[in-house]
Amino acid sequence: MTDTLIPDMAESGATIDGLELRTQLFIGGQFRDAAGGGRFTTENPATGRPLAEVARGGAADVADAVRVARRAADDGRWSRMSPGDRKAVLLRWATLIEANAQELGIIETLDAGKPITDTVGLDMPETAACIRWHAEATDKLYGEVAPAPEGVVATITREPVGVVAAVIPWNYPAQMAAWKLGPALATGNTIVIKPASTTSLSLLRIAELGAEAGIPDGVLNVVTGPGDTVGEALGRHPDVDCLAFTGSTEVGRRFLTWSAESNLKRVLLELGGKSPQLVFPDVTDVAGLAQHVALAIFWNMGENCSAGSRLIVHRSIKERVVDAVQAELANWPVGDPLDPATRIGALINRGHMERVLHYVDVGRREGARVVAGGERILEHTGGYFVPPTIFDNVRNDMTIAREEIFGPVLSVIEFDTEAEAVALANDTPYGLAASLYTDDLNIAHRVARELKAGVVGVNAYAEGDMTTPFGGYKLSGFGGHDKSLHAHDQYTETKTTWIQLRGPG
Ligand code: NDP
C-alpha cells in the first residue's frame, strides 16, 4: 500500500504531484501495517506540517521480523548464495538506488529538512556507492590457511553472524542505513533495521528497491516505530546476533546493558562527538581554511556526528580566521531545502531546534560572545531554521564546548602553544574526528599522532571515503567501524577448522 503525498509546498513553489510514500513495515518482502494498527505522524521540518502517517511498530512486529529474518538466515538462500550471485543482486540494488536518486532525494529532503542539492547530489549517490563498494568486495575476500604442523590443515574462515539488527539516526537516513546494510548483507547476514521515527521514508523505498533487485524475502526487513519500543525490543531480543547502532551515547549505553541482560549479542556503537579543528599560526591560505572550517560545522545544519564544533586556533591568527569564516557564511544560504541554492535547510524538529537555541542561550550566559547567527530565522514558514552561529571567547570548560549540540554552532577557543592545542583538543569525553591545519609537515605528523580520535583530517575536513574505516574513541563508540573491509569483520564470525590428516595405509 502507498500513501499519496500532499504536502503544502506553497512557499517553495515546488510540485511533487504523484510522489508516493511507503509508510508501512516491510517484513518478509511485504509491506504491512503494524500488529496493533497504530500509526504516527512524521512532519516536514521546513514547514512544520504533517507529511505522512507511518506504521507504529511494536514488540510484536519486532518478534515477527526477527522470526522471518532467522528463517531466512537458516535456509541459506542468502548466506549460502554464491558470493558472485550475491554481489550481482547488491549491484542491481545500487543501480536502482542511483536510478531513483531524484525521487529518494526529494523524499529525504521533505522528511529530514536537508538541502535537495545534498540529498540528490550526495546522499543518494553515496548510498548507492556504499552498497556497490561492499557488493564488489563480496567475491574478493579469501579465507586463510594457518601455518599448522605437518599432518594438519588449519583454515580460518569467515561466516555471517546471522541475524543483524540495526538502529539508525535521522541525520543521514539513507546513508546511515547503507553503512549498515552494505557490509551486513554483503557478508551474508539477514537484517532487521529500525530507522529514526522522524525519518523512516527513504529507507522503506530503498528496501522496496532491494526486493526489486532480487534480495530474497525475509533477508532485509524494516520495522518503523519509536526507539523505546522497537529499538529496545531489538536490543533485548534473544535471537538477534549482532546489534549495530548509530546515535547518541546515552542510547548506546542501553544497548550494551540489554545485550548483557539477554544473549550477549555483539554490539557495535557509532556515537556522538565534539570534534576539534586545530589551526596553527603558520597557515597561509586562510580563505581556503575557512571553507573547510565552515563545511565541518555547517554541513547538514551541523547535524553531523563528526561536526568540527570546536575551532581551536592560535591566538596570533584567531581574528583573521574568525573574519574569514564569517565571510565564508555568504556561501551558506539558509532557506527552503527544496531550493537548489540552499545549503542550510531546517533542523529536524521543533524539540531539536529548541535544544540548539537553549545551548546558544547557555553559551551567552556563560560569557561567550555571539559573532554570527544565534536566533531562529524564517519563523513565518513554520520551519525550524537556525542560521550558522559562531561563538568567540569560548573556554573549553564551557557547556557549549563540552556537550554535543548537533546544530550549526561553532565555538572558537584560543591557544598559545602546540602542547596546549593538543591538550584542549583531547580534553573531551568524545573522540570521533579531528582536523588540523598547518603548512608544516612536522606539526601535521606530530599532532595527528597525539589526537585521540578515530579520523584525523590534515588540511581538510574529511571523513575519508568508502575505503577507510569510520568510528570513534572514548564516548564516541566502540565495537566496530563503518565503511571499508573493517566493516565486514564486524558482521562476521571467525571460524577455525583444524583438520587432522591420517597417514598413508
Ligand atoms: P538517538 O540516540 O536518540 O536515536 C538514534 C536511534 O535510536 C533512533 O532510531 C531512535 O529511535 C533510537 N532510540 C531512541 N531512544 C531509544 C531507546 N530508548 N531505546 C532504543 N532505541 C532508541 O540519537 P539521534 O537520533 O538524536 O541522533 C543524534 C545522535 O547520533 C548524535 O549524538 C550523533 O552524534 C549520533 N550520530 C553518530 C554518528 C556516527 O557515525 N558516530 C552518525 C550520526 C549520528 P527514534 O527516532 O524512534 O527515537
Side-chain angles (χ1 to χ4, degrees), residues 47-312:
T47 63
R49 296 195 185 101
L51 179 62
E53 297 287 315
V54 179
R56 179 186 285 272
D61 301 297
V62 167
D64 197 25
V66 173
R67 199 164 35 245
V68 165
R70 171 58 59 196
R71 207 182 310 129
D74 289 348
D75 75 18
R77 265 179 307 153
W78 184 248
S79 61
R80 287 168 201 246
M81 186 185 274
S82 84
D85 290 347
R86 209 159 59 221
K87 175 179 84 170
V89 172
L90 294 175
L91 288 178
R92 268 201 303 277
W93 189 26
T95 302
L96 282 171
I97 293 169
E98 240 163 21
N100 290 277
Q102 185 85 13
E103 175 201 340
L104 285 166
I106 291 171
I107 292 173
E108 198 87 307
T109 287
L110 292 172
D111 209 14
K114 293 162 64 96
I116 192 78
T117 315
D118 287 352
T119 54
V120 173
L122 208 62
D123 291 60
M124 296 313 153
E126 288 288 320
T127 297
C130 174
I131 304 287
R132 181 170 289 126
W133 194 90
H134 291 290
E136 285 291 0
T138 309
D139 62 353
K140 294 170 190 68
L141 291 173
Y142 293 76
E144 298 165 55
V145 179
E150 189 60 27
V152 171
V153 176
T155 62
I156 304 163
T157 49
R158 293 260 170 200
E159 294 181 353
V161 287
V163 175
V164 171
V167 176
I168 57 170
W170 41 259
N171 56 347
Y172 295 89
Q175 272 198 74
M176 289 302 104
W179 282 17
K180 313 295 184 204
L181 295 170
L185 292 176
T187 46
N189 297 282
T190 62
I191 189 160
V192 180
I193 181 166
K194 185 201 111 54
S197 299
T198 36
T199 54
S200 306
L201 302 176
S202 58
L203 177 58
L204 289 167
R205 178 72 179 122
I206 285 170
E208 184 181 39
L209 293 172
E212 194 179 325
I215 296 177
D217 293 350
V219 169
L220 164 55
N221 308 280
V222 183
V223 181
T224 53
D228 57 7
T229 52
V230 174
E232 180 165 347
L234 287 168
R236 289 189 181 279
H237 201 293
D239 211 19
V240 166
D241 300 302
C242 168
L243 192 134
F245 174 70
T246 295
S248 61
T249 299
E250 181 199 342
V251 174
R253 284 180 199 277
R254 297 185 194 196
F255 282 112
L256 285 176
T257 304
W258 296 327
S259 166
E261 289 174 356
S262 58
N263 61 341
L264 288 183
K265 60 179 66 62
R266 185 182 295 184
V267 177
L268 313 170
L269 299 178
E270 297 285 1
L271 309 174
K274 195 71 196 173
S275 300
Q277 307 191 64
L278 284 81
V279 181
F280 289 90
D282 63 290
V283 166
T284 45
D285 179 12
V286 173
L289 156 84
Q291 287 179 5
H292 281 281
V293 168
L295 183 70
I297 183 63
F298 302 131
W299 178 38
N300 209 54
M301 293 69 75
E303 294 171 335
N304 186 0
C305 53
S306 65
S309 50
R310 292 182 300 144
L311 180 63
I312 300 173

Side-chain angles (χ1 to χ4, degrees), residues 294-493:
L295 183 70
I297 183 63
F298 302 131
W299 178 38
N300 209 54
M301 293 69 75
E303 294 171 335
N304 186 0
C305 53
S306 65
S309 50
R310 292 182 300 144
L311 180 63
I312 300 173
V313 53
H314 193 269
R315 193 180 303 275
S316 66
I317 191 177
K318 187 196 82 172
E319 223 158 282
R320 274 175 63 211
V321 170
V322 172
D323 287 350
V325 176
Q326 278 184 269
E328 176 58 21
L329 296 188
N331 297 321
W332 288 85
V334 187
D336 182 350
L338 285 170
D339 180 345
T342 293
R343 284 189 83 188
I344 299 195
L347 295 180
I348 191 69
N349 57 29
R350 176 179 294 278
H352 185 57
M353 176 189 69
E354 285 171 353
R355 185 170 171 266
V356 170
L357 293 172
H358 169 73
Y359 275 114
V360 173
D361 278 350
V362 171
R364 281 194 177 103
R365 267 189 272 127
E366 291 186 356
R369 187 167 66 94
V370 175
V371 295
E375 309 288 345
R376 180 182 184 186
I377 58 168
L378 302 173
E379 200 169 339
H380 66 279
T381 62
Y384 311 120
F385 296 95
V386 174
T389 297
I390 303 175
F391 270 107
D392 199 355
N393 299 344
V394 178
R395 288 190 326 270
N396 204 48
D397 61 358
M398 288 181 181
T399 307
I400 54 171
R402 301 218 66 81
E403 297 183 13
E404 185 179 41
I405 299 175
F406 221 58
V409 181
L410 180 67
S411 293
V412 181
I413 302 165
E414 291 177 0
F415 74 87
D416 289 307
T417 65
E418 183 181 311
E420 193 190 348
V422 169
L424 285 167
N426 288 336
D427 179 16
T428 165
Y430 296 106
L432 189 53
S435 45
L436 69 100
Y437 297 85
T438 175
D439 289 354
D440 183 333
L441 198 61
N442 299 296
I443 297 178
H445 279 286
R446 261 196 324 258
V447 174
R449 237 180 233 197
E450 293 296 324
L451 292 172
K452 303 275 181 282
V455 181
V456 177
V458 176
N459 289 331
Y461 166 65
E463 287 186 357
D465 63 12
M466 279 314 302
T467 66
T468 55
F470 182 82
Y473 294 8
K474 305 193 281 182
L475 287 193
S476 296
F478 75 101
H481 282 94
D482 285 324
K483 306 196 297 178
S484 84
L485 293 183
H486 291 274
H488 287 225
D489 292 344
Q490 62 193 18
Y491 296 111
T492 51
E493 301 279 13

